[in-house]
Amino acid sequence: MGSSSFLLIMVLMMGAMFLMTRSAKKKQQQAAEMRNKMEPGSGVRTIGGMYALVKSVNDETVELEVAPGVHAIYSKQAIAVVMDPVEYNRLVHGDEPEDEAVEDADATSEPVAQAVVDAAEAETKDAAEDKDEPVALSKNLDGDKEASAK
């Protein structure tokens, strides 16, 4: 009975190891495919979190423009993500895509955010009035400072 338990445990461990190595190989293949999609002009993020533009791609290395006019050579293995131009420009330059859905979302989000700020300020003022303490300075979305003391 002891040897059959041992054998069962060994089979389960081997199965788990097989599944783990299989998923790791699959992830490596997906990363290699992603890196093969790099071409000059692509936006990338390195494993260190730096965003850059691809200037040239070689067998094992890639030349990146890390700042205007500043080029550096990186290993292809150092590339974590290859981004599409819209996503790269949004992250790096803050460019929002010209889309009505985005404009509609921006139009509705500001009043909602202002309402949240107003509610938080009212709650703070109520709490301060209960304790007879001055209300802390707060900053609303327009950047104006408000202060009130009891």
Side-chain angles (χ1 to χ4, degrees), residues 41-44 51-56 63-66 88-89 93:
S42 298
V44 297
Y51 293 93
L53 284 175
V54 176
K55 286 300 174 183
S56 67
E63 183 180 0
L64 302 178
E65 184 175 37
V66 295
Y88 177 81
N89 286 328
H93 303 295

Short mmCIF file of all heavy atoms in Angstrom, two decimals, residues 41-44 51-56 63-66 88-89 93:
data_model
loop_
_atom_site.label_atom_id
_atom_site.label_comp_id
_atom_site.label_asym_id
_atom_site.label_seq_id
_atom_site.Cartn_x
_atom_site.Cartn_y
_atom_site.Cartn_z
N GLY A 41 9.74 51.92 -36.51
CA GLY A 41 8.57 52.75 -36.30
C GLY A 41 7.63 52.20 -35.24
O GLY A 41 6.73 52.91 -34.78
N SER A 42 7.80 50.95 -34.83
CA SER A 42 6.96 50.36 -33.78
C SER A 42 7.29 50.98 -32.43
O SER A 42 8.45 51.30 -32.15
CB SER A 42 7.19 48.85 -33.67
OG SER A 42 6.86 48.19 -34.85
N GLY A 43 6.29 51.11 -31.60
CA GLY A 43 6.51 51.54 -30.23
C GLY A 43 6.69 50.31 -29.37
O GLY A 43 6.01 49.30 -29.57
N VAL A 44 7.61 50.36 -28.41
CA VAL A 44 7.85 49.21 -27.53
C VAL A 44 7.99 49.68 -26.08
O VAL A 44 8.23 50.86 -25.82
CB VAL A 44 9.13 48.44 -27.92
CG1 VAL A 44 9.01 47.84 -29.30
CG2 VAL A 44 10.37 49.32 -27.83
N TYR A 51 9.67 53.30 -22.49
CA TYR A 51 9.00 53.34 -23.79
C TYR A 51 9.95 53.93 -24.81
O TYR A 51 10.66 54.90 -24.54
CB TYR A 51 7.73 54.20 -23.71
CG TYR A 51 6.68 53.59 -22.83
CD1 TYR A 51 6.58 53.93 -21.48
CD2 TYR A 51 5.80 52.65 -23.33
CE1 TYR A 51 5.62 53.37 -20.67
CE2 TYR A 51 4.82 52.07 -22.53
CZ TYR A 51 4.75 52.44 -21.21
OH TYR A 51 3.80 51.87 -20.40
N ALA A 52 9.97 53.34 -26.02
CA ALA A 52 10.88 53.81 -27.07
C ALA A 52 10.32 53.43 -28.43
O ALA A 52 9.41 52.61 -28.54
CB ALA A 52 12.26 53.19 -26.87
N LEU A 53 10.89 54.04 -29.46
CA LEU A 53 10.54 53.71 -30.84
C LEU A 53 11.63 52.84 -31.45
O LEU A 53 12.82 53.08 -31.23
CB LEU A 53 10.40 54.98 -31.68
CG LEU A 53 9.14 55.79 -31.49
CD1 LEU A 53 9.20 57.08 -32.29
CD2 LEU A 53 7.93 54.98 -31.92
N VAL A 54 11.24 51.86 -32.24
CA VAL A 54 12.20 50.98 -32.90
C VAL A 54 12.75 51.70 -34.13
O VAL A 54 12.01 52.20 -34.96
CB VAL A 54 11.52 49.65 -33.33
CG1 VAL A 54 12.49 48.78 -34.11
CG2 VAL A 54 10.99 48.92 -32.11
N LYS A 55 14.07 51.76 -34.23
CA LYS A 55 14.73 52.36 -35.39
C LYS A 55 15.21 51.30 -36.36
O LYS A 55 15.11 51.47 -37.56
CB LYS A 55 15.91 53.26 -34.95
CG LYS A 55 15.46 54.55 -34.34
CD LYS A 55 14.63 55.30 -35.35
CE LYS A 55 14.01 56.54 -34.76
NZ LYS A 55 13.14 57.23 -35.69
N SER A 56 15.76 50.19 -35.84
CA SER A 56 16.18 49.09 -36.71
C SER A 56 16.16 47.79 -35.91
O SER A 56 16.29 47.79 -34.69
CB SER A 56 17.57 49.33 -37.29
OG SER A 56 18.56 49.30 -36.28
N GLU A 63 17.65 48.44 -32.28
CA GLU A 63 18.08 49.81 -31.99
C GLU A 63 16.83 50.62 -31.67
O GLU A 63 15.89 50.67 -32.46
CB GLU A 63 18.81 50.43 -33.19
CG GLU A 63 19.32 51.82 -32.91
CD GLU A 63 20.06 52.43 -34.10
OE1 GLU A 63 20.18 51.77 -35.15
OE2 GLU A 63 20.51 53.58 -33.96
N LEU A 64 16.83 51.25 -30.49
CA LEU A 64 15.69 52.01 -30.03
C LEU A 64 16.03 53.49 -29.91
O LEU A 64 17.14 53.84 -29.51
CB LEU A 64 15.23 51.51 -28.65
CG LEU A 64 14.83 50.05 -28.53
CD1 LEU A 64 14.45 49.73 -27.09
CD2 LEU A 64 13.69 49.73 -29.47
N GLU A 65 15.06 54.32 -30.24
CA GLU A 65 15.19 55.76 -30.01
C GLU A 65 14.51 56.04 -28.67
O GLU A 65 13.29 56.03 -28.57
CB GLU A 65 14.54 56.57 -31.13
CG GLU A 65 14.76 58.06 -30.96
CD GLU A 65 14.21 58.86 -32.12
OE1 GLU A 65 13.15 58.50 -32.66
OE2 GLU A 65 14.86 59.86 -32.47
N VAL A 66 15.33 56.25 -27.64
CA VAL A 66 14.81 56.40 -26.29
C VAL A 66 14.41 57.84 -25.98
O VAL A 66 13.65 58.09 -25.05
CB VAL A 66 15.82 55.87 -25.24
CG1 VAL A 66 16.01 54.37 -25.41
CG2 VAL A 66 17.14 56.59 -25.34
N TYR A 88 0.84 53.50 -28.29
CA TYR A 88 2.12 54.12 -27.96
C TYR A 88 1.95 55.64 -27.81
O TYR A 88 2.41 56.23 -26.83
CB TYR A 88 3.16 53.80 -29.04
CG TYR A 88 4.50 54.46 -28.79
CD1 TYR A 88 5.40 53.92 -27.90
CD2 TYR A 88 4.84 55.64 -29.44
CE1 TYR A 88 6.61 54.52 -27.65
CE2 TYR A 88 6.05 56.25 -29.21
CZ TYR A 88 6.94 55.69 -28.31
OH TYR A 88 8.14 56.30 -28.07
N ASN A 89 1.29 56.27 -28.77
CA ASN A 89 1.10 57.73 -28.71
C ASN A 89 0.24 58.14 -27.53
O ASN A 89 0.46 59.18 -26.93
CB ASN A 89 0.49 58.25 -30.01
CG ASN A 89 1.51 58.25 -31.14
OD1 ASN A 89 2.70 58.44 -30.90
ND2 ASN A 89 1.05 58.03 -32.35
N HIS A 93 2.78 60.24 -25.43
CA HIS A 93 2.53 61.64 -25.75
C HIS A 93 1.21 62.17 -25.19
O HIS A 93 0.92 63.34 -25.30
CB HIS A 93 2.54 61.84 -27.26
CG HIS A 93 3.82 61.40 -27.90
ND1 HIS A 93 5.03 62.00 -27.65
CD2 HIS A 93 4.10 60.40 -28.77
CE1 HIS A 93 5.98 61.40 -28.33
NE2 HIS A 93 5.44 60.41 -29.02
#
